[in-house]
């Protein structure tokens, strides 16, 4: 056995142990499964994880047994969501599986401390950093206040399309979300042309088409645009209607990551922003 094959074997066994430990900490009620009869296994059963992740039971069992099989990025993403892995665990899963670094974590590593300090200095103006896939990579406290607690949303769910289409609280804060959504979806489709074969993008589209009839209808229309929304209204439960103008700063000459600053569009909005956070 070569050194490389020994390392691969150790990594597979470590992956198997990691998956078992994370499976055993998730209870059926946490994932909406009924509890029937006495359970001999703590947490979820293997077949339940396979069902929720949309993979074969035999294949997932082999993965937990440390067998020499390959897992695609799309499958690893599905398993990660099922087991409710945090960002560090998500990256660890990909590393043990010998898969490329997850795109979301890779994008986040591009954000220097200078960017975070700049976002803090711009308060009380809300600021967020997003990639072309509509993932929110970073934000300041003012943006968290505006959107009602992004800190409480799991890292991998911080995506503007996911939240607009599946989160009622998010939609309540965006009175024009249905009006603006066609442009957002069209911009997302245009951006996807550069990532057409990437599992992370395909997985997101598949999920949105399954969970939102509105997205499914818009996706079938094949509209594209490069135009960005520059004026948006928000409805905050404490201070009422707010109007902001958007400014976009791209973090590099060919970067798809942009920093969006929300500047009050009128004096009334400016007066409603908290003086401190």
């Amino acid at each position: 056995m070569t050194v490389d094959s020994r390392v691969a074997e150790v990594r597979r066994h470590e992956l198997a142990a990691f998956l078992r430990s994370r499976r055993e900490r998730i209870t059926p009620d946490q994932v909406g499964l009924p509890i029937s009869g006495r359970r001999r296994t703590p947490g979820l059963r293997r077949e339940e994880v396979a069902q929720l992740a949309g993979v074969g039971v035999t294949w997932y069992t082999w993965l937990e047994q440390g067998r020499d099989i390959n897992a695609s990025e799309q499958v690893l993403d599905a398993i990660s969501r099922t087991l409710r892995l945090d960002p560090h665990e998500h990256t660890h899963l990909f590393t043990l599986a010998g898969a490329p670094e997850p795109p979301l974590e890779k994008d986040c590593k591009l954000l220097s401390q200078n960017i975070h300090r700049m976002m803090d200095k711009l308060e009380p103006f809300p600021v967020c950093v997003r990639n072309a896939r509509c993932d929110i990579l970073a934000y300041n406290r003012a943006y968290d206040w505006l959107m009602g607690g992004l800190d409480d949303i799991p890292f991998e769910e911080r995506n503007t399309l996911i939240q607009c289409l599946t989160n009622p609280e998010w939609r309540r804060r965006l009175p024009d979300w249905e009006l603006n959504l066609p442009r957002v979806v069209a911009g997302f489709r245009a951006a996807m042309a550069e990532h057409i074969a990437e599992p992370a993008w395909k997985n997101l589209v598949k999920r949105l088409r399954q969970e939102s009839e509105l997205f499914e209808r818009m996706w079938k229309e094949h509209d594209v645009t490069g135009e960005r929304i520059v004026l948006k209204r928000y409805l905050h439960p404490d201070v009422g209607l707010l109007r902001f103008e958007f400014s976009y700063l791209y973090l590099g000459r060919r970067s798809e990551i942009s920093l969006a600053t929300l500047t009050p569009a009128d004096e009334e909005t400016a007066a409603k922003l908290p003086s401190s956070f």
Side-chain angles (χ1 to χ4, degrees):
M1 182 181 290
T2 66
V3 173
D4 288 343
S5 60
R6 283 199 299 270
V7 170
E9 184 178 7
V10 170
R11 183 176 289 169
R12 288 197 302 272
H13 286 295
E14 182 64 25
L15 172 62
F18 178 67
L19 288 173
R20 288 194 298 271
S21 71
R22 292 307 179 265
R23 171 171 59 82
E24 291 172 355
R25 72 179 184 177
I26 304 292
T27 59
D29 60 297
Q30 285 180 297
V31 293
L33 292 176
I35 302 176
S36 57
R38 195 173 166 190
R39 299 177 67 90
R40 298 166 54 190
T41 305
L44 297 177
R45 301 185 178 104
R46 285 174 176 169
E47 57 267 27
E48 291 170 336
V49 173
Q51 176 188 349
L52 292 168
V55 301
V57 176
T58 300
W59 186 90
Y60 181 77
T61 300
W62 287 350
L63 198 63
E64 275 204 11
Q65 291 174 343
R67 298 204 189 187
D68 187 7
I69 58 175
N70 294 321
S72 68
E73 294 174 46
Q74 188 170 357
V75 166
L76 292 173
D77 274 331
I79 293 173
S80 178
R81 288 197 307 274
T82 299
L83 297 178
R84 302 192 170 191
L85 303 186
D86 66 25
H88 302 291
E89 293 169 330
H90 186 72
T91 300
H92 188 60
L93 171 66
F94 271 65
T95 301
L96 292 177
E101 186 175 22
L104 188 53
E105 279 75 14
K106 188 176 181 180
D107 283 349
C108 283
K109 288 180 180 178
L110 296 177
L111 304 183
S112 68
Q113 285 302 312
N114 288 338
I115 298 295
H116 290 277
R117 283 194 290 268
M118 181 169 66
M119 289 193 294
D120 290 340
K121 289 295 184 181
L122 287 170
E123 289 174 347
F125 293 177
V127 180
C128 71
V129 178
R130 290 178 293 193
N131 60 16
R133 208 175 73 105
C134 301
D135 297 311
I136 300 174
L137 307 177
Y139 52 89
N140 63 5
R141 290 168 295 181
Y143 190 82
D144 189 58
W145 167 82
L146 180 66
M147 300 312 302
L150 268 170
D151 288 345
D152 298 326
I153 297 175
F155 176 75
E156 64 277 5
E157 296 288 303
R158 294 174 191 168
N159 176 284
T160 54
L161 277 170
I162 291 175
Q163 293 307 312
C164 280
L165 292 165
T166 67
N167 186 342
E169 173 59 28
W170 188 282
R171 291 197 297 267
R172 278 192 286 269
R173 291 175 182 253
L174 296 170
D176 304 317
W177 76 274
E178 281 192 271
L179 180 66
N180 291 329
L181 188 62
R183 194 186 305 180
V184 175
V185 173
F188 173 75
R189 181 181 274 282
M192 190 173 176
E194 299 287 339
H195 307 271
I196 199 72
E198 294 180 23
W201 286 72
K202 293 193 294 184
N203 199 40
L204 176 59
V205 170
K206 180 180 178 181
R207 174 183 175 181
L208 293 173
R209 295 184 73 172
Q210 290 174 340
E211 296 185 11
S212 171
E213 293 182 5
L214 184 57
F215 180 86
E216 170 71 358
R217 176 172 57 79
M218 292 181 182
W219 193 250
K220 287 181 177 179
E221 293 172 354
H222 289 265
D223 290 339
V224 293
T225 184
E227 185 180 357
R228 305 294 295 264
I229 298 173
V230 296
L231 180 64
K232 288 179 70 173
R233 300 194 306 160
Y234 294 81
L235 189 60
H236 195 280
D238 295 332
V239 300
L241 191 65
L242 302 166
R243 297 173 71 250
F244 291 99
E245 293 178 345
F246 275 64
S247 299
Y248 298 97
L249 172 65
Y250 283 86
L251 308 186
R253 189 173 179 182
R254 291 188 173 89
S255 176
E256 293 183 329
I257 299 174
S258 64
L259 183 148
T261 303
L262 285 65
T263 307
D266 50 52
E267 293 183 3
E268 182 180 356
T269 296
K272 291 178 180 179
L273 298 182
S275 58
S276 60
F277 292 91

